Structure formats: C-alpha cells, structure tokens
Amino acid sequence: MDLSKIAISFLNILNEMSPYILLGFFIAGLLHVFVRPSAMSRHLSGGGWKPVVKAALFGIPLPLCSCGVLPTAVALRRRGASKAAATSFLIATPQTGVDSIAATWSLLGLPFAIIRPIAALAGAVGGGLAVGKFDTDEKVEISDEADEAMPESFLGRLGAAVRYGFIDMVASVGKWLVIGLVVAALITVFVPDSLFTGLSNHPLLAMLAVVVVAIPMYICATGSIPIALSLMLKGLSPGIAFVMLMAGPAANFASIMILNRTMGRRATALYVGSVVATAIGFGLVIDLLLPREWFVPAGALTEHCHVTFDWFATLCSALLTGLLIYSAFKSGKHEHNHKIINDMTHTYTIKGMNCPHCRASVEKAIAGVEGVEEVSVSLADGNATVSGTATADAIAEAVRLAGFECEA
C-alpha cells in the first residue's frame, strides 16, 4: 500500500474543502442560534402545499446528517408540524446544508452547488406532497417544550453560534467527513480507471448500482462530496456522481429503520422513493441535457502527485484538523465520564444513535424525565446510564418521543 500517495490525495482534497467547510460551520451556528424551532413549527402546521415548501426551504440550509435530522423532525411534529411538512424537512435537510453546499462548490464547481439544493427542494416537495395525499394519519402528541435558552446579548449569541458551529457541529459530522475523505483518497489511488469504463456506457444502470451501494452506507452530505469527486476522476459521469451526492446522505438503513417506526411504513416508502427518483432523475438531466464542461472537477485535484500548499487553505486545514482532534478527544472523555451518585442507577440500551447529535438528543430527553438525577449516554456502546427514581417506562417513552428506541 502506497501510503504517501494516499496522504497526498487526502491532503489535496482537504485543502480544497477546509475553507468552505469552516465557513459552513459558522453559518450553521448562526442558524442554530437565530432560527428557533418554535418559529419553524408555526410555519409548518396545517395542510396544503405551503407548509411542505416552507419545510424544504427551512431544511436545505441546515447542516444536519440523516440521523441528526430525525430527532429534529420528531420535535417539529410534536410542536404541531404536519406529517407532510415533516417528511419534506426529512428529505431536504440531510442532502444539503450550508457547509456541504459550500464544499460542493469548492470541489465540484458552481453548477453542482446550484443543482444540489434545487434537486433537494424538488424531492422534498414531491415527497411531502405525496405523504400529504396518500398518508393522512396525523395523530401526534403536541408538546409545549420550550426552545433551548440562549444568551440575550448579540455578543453572547455570537459566542453560542461559534461554539455550536465549531464544537457541536464538528463533533456531529467530523467522523463521517474524515471517512469520506479517506474513502475518496483510497478510490483515487487504488481503483483503476478501466473499472468504470463499462458503467459509463450505461448511465441508468450505473446510477442504480450507486443507489444500491449508497443505501447501506452512512455518510453525511459533506462526506459524500470527496467520494463523488473521486468517482468522476475515475471516469464516471457527473450524473452518476450526483446520485451519490443525493442518495448517500439521505437513504441509509439506520435512518430508514428509525423513520419506519416514527412516521410509518407508507411515509417511509414515499420518503425513500422520492429520494431515489429525484437523485436519478436529476442525474439523467445532468448527463443528457447539460453541457459536460460545466461539471469538470477542480483542476488542483486532477493531478495528485503533489500537495498544493496555498497558505490560507493550509491554515484552514490545520484549524479544521485541530477542531476534529478536539471534538474526538472531548467525545471520548464524555463517553467515559459516567458518575454513579446513588444505588438507583439503571442502564438502558438505546437504538438508532449514530452521531454526537443523536447522543445529545437522547441525553436531553432523559434528563427531562421527572425523577432523573443524572444521565450519561455512551455513543460507543449505545447505553444510557440513568441515576434517580424515574421509572423504566417513563425513560422509554421519553426516548421514543425523541425518535429512538429504548430497552431496559
């Protein structure tokens, strides 16, 4: 294994993406602080097409992965959002995000960055309207849960935005971003160009193959970008790469199982069908109707024999690497910081967690149960350690309402 080629390919891609990713994380923090869930929910209730379109427009800039968006959608449902609007939000959000749109522009070019949110909007609106028409079960427990407390001053909110963007968001998507970069580097170095020659002649078959590969994967919208780029550099068409961009982040087994439990089989089927149909439909449009020269990968990556050390990009890469290391260290410290303060301590198995955002949602849900004195959730082993007098049924119900499964 030629480690030097892998390292050079990895660093080239990282240098291209890091400035845009950091900008996206900062904007994500601003959205988290200044756009409140209660305000979103007010716009997403009721029938018709308006809440569906609003949900898609709300979801497109939010940088949440497919597992992280599920608790958010559940919370919106509990605050009165319709099932159609929640489905639209679920489809649009994991496929895009301000961080991934910026990173798409940096690696794949402006046309990809423009078409990606347009495709997410089309798929989300189509899927949401389909759920509104064919799945009319609107039973939901309305909650008057308050928004997370935020500082009142502008500087305080700005600080909260920075903490959320560069600490919480990095922790949520950092693992999957690194996986995407490593996979892309491995594909670029080791996969022969001849492997994709046959598939390039059959774009629809190739797109279906990408869907089959993408669904078992768990990859965030940003992590899918270097993989799509590496596929294009190996000879696959832009439309085939676009299918990976859209289907990979939104349709994976973990999300499908949780969605099936929280939204029902019919809504889940419509969700998956909308994601796949939109990805393939826009992929075919890109390949058959749009000029190929619009979708040329970044020139710095077509040759991977050396690293381009632009000082600003290198500084951004160093900063992003430091944030990733810090978030990993903080997450590992959190995993092992289990305190037992009395004899009333129980351990529960939580199913459906895939990222720190999921873990935080579960901890918040359990901590809000009457009688809970302390809770610590481990993402590594999927267990929640709860101290206090709360009953197992109350704990399980709180976890279920947050969008996960709980077993005592």
Side-chain angles (χ1 to χ4, degrees):
M1 180 178 293
D2 195 334
L3 295 179
S4 62
K5 288 185 178 180
I6 297 174
I8 290 172
S9 179
F10 180 92
L11 290 174
N12 270 328
I13 298 173
L14 179 63
N15 272 2
E16 288 290 330
M17 293 181 67
S18 58
Y20 297 88
I21 292 176
L22 292 174
L23 174 62
F25 283 153
F26 178 64
I27 297 174
L30 295 178
L31 289 171
H32 174 76
V33 171
F34 291 100
V35 180
R36 313 307 299 135
S38 58
M40 293 175 61
S41 298
R42 286 197 299 270
H43 291 279
L44 305 186
S45 60
W49 60 270
K50 289 185 178 180
V52 173
V53 174
K54 287 180 180 179
L57 294 175
F58 275 133
I60 284 173
L62 296 180
L64 290 175
C65 59
S66 56
C67 69
V69 72
L70 286 166
T72 306
V74 171
L76 291 175
R77 281 280 285 152
R78 293 179 62 200
R79 294 184 179 197
S82 67
K83 182 179 284 190
T87 302
S88 177
F89 182 82
L90 282 167
I91 294 173
T93 307
Q95 292 181 327
T96 53
V98 287
D99 57 331
S100 64
I101 293 173
T104 300
W105 188 355
S106 71
L107 279 192
L108 300 177
L110 183 60
F112 263 123
I114 294 174
I115 295 174
R116 193 173 190 181
I118 292 175
L121 176 63
V125 172
L129 291 176
V131 168
K133 181 175 181 179
F134 298 109
D135 190 345
T136 57
D137 180 13
E138 284 294 331
K139 295 179 180 178
V140 63
E141 300 176 40
I142 305 298
S143 169
D144 58 357
E145 177 185 358
D147 287 335
E148 179 182 351
M150 289 292 174
E152 294 185 2
S153 67
F154 176 78
L155 289 179
R157 291 195 171 196
L158 189 61
V162 171
R163 285 192 299 273
Y164 180 83
F166 294 123
I167 303 299
D168 296 343
M169 276 302 305
V170 172
S172 293
V173 307
K175 173 183 176 181
W176 310 110
L177 173 60
V178 173
I179 290 174
L181 291 170
V182 171
V183 170
L186 292 173
I187 292 174
T188 303
V189 173
F190 291 109
V191 176
D193 296 347
S194 58
L195 180 64
F196 296 108
T197 303
L199 283 176
S200 297
N201 298 326
H202 305 281
L204 182 58
L205 179 62
M207 290 176 188
L208 292 173
V210 168
V211 169
V212 171
V213 172
I215 287 180
M217 295 176 64
Y218 183 88
I219 195 74
C220 70
T222 303
S224 67
I225 298 168
I227 298 177
L229 172 66
S230 63
L231 293 177
M232 288 181 62
L233 292 177
K234 289 301 178 180
L236 288 182
S237 69
I240 297 171
F242 187 80
V243 174
M244 171 59 74
L245 283 178
M246 304 306 288
N252 60 76
F253 283 148
S255 297
I256 291 172
M257 287 188 293
I258 298 174
L259 187 63
N260 183 66
R261 188 186 72 254
T262 57
M263 300 286 285
R265 292 184 180 180
R266 185 175 299 177
T268 301
L270 293 170
Y271 169 92
V272 175
S274 176
V275 169
V276 173
T278 303
I280 293 178
F282 273 82
L284 291 173
V285 168
I286 289 173
D287 281 348
L288 300 178
L289 301 180
L290 299 181
R292 185 67 177 262
E293 56 268 21
W294 285 8
F295 304 96
V296 177
L301 296 177
T302 56
E303 295 292 338
H304 38 264
C305 58
H306 65 280
V307 183
T308 304
F309 284 107
D310 174 80
W311 71 269
F312 179 71
T314 302
L315 180 64
C316 290
S317 296
L319 176 58
L320 180 59
T321 301
L323 291 172
L324 290 168
I325 294 172
Y326 174 77
S327 68
F329 173 78
K330 181 181 178 182
S331 178
K333 184 177 180 181
H334 178 94
E335 295 281 356
H336 295 92
N337 188 26
H338 296 266
K339 298 179 182 179
I340 300 177
I341 61 176
N342 56 37
D343 293 334
M344 299 297 291
T345 300
H346 302 277
T347 299
Y348 301 87
T349 300
I350 311 297
K351 296 183 178 180
M353 296 189 302
N354 291 292
C355 71
H357 188 281
C358 298
R359 183 189 65 207
S361 297
V362 172
E363 282 191 343
K364 181 180 179 180
I366 296 177
V369 177
E370 184 177 357
V372 171
E373 298 179 15
E374 184 165 337
V375 56
S376 181
V377 179
S378 170
L379 187 60
D381 55 23
N383 290 335
T385 304
V386 183
S387 300
T389 59
T391 65
D393 289 342
I395 298 293
E397 179 65 9
V399 172
R400 183 188 69 80
L401 290 175
F404 303 89
E405 290 184 0
C406 177
E407 297 179 358

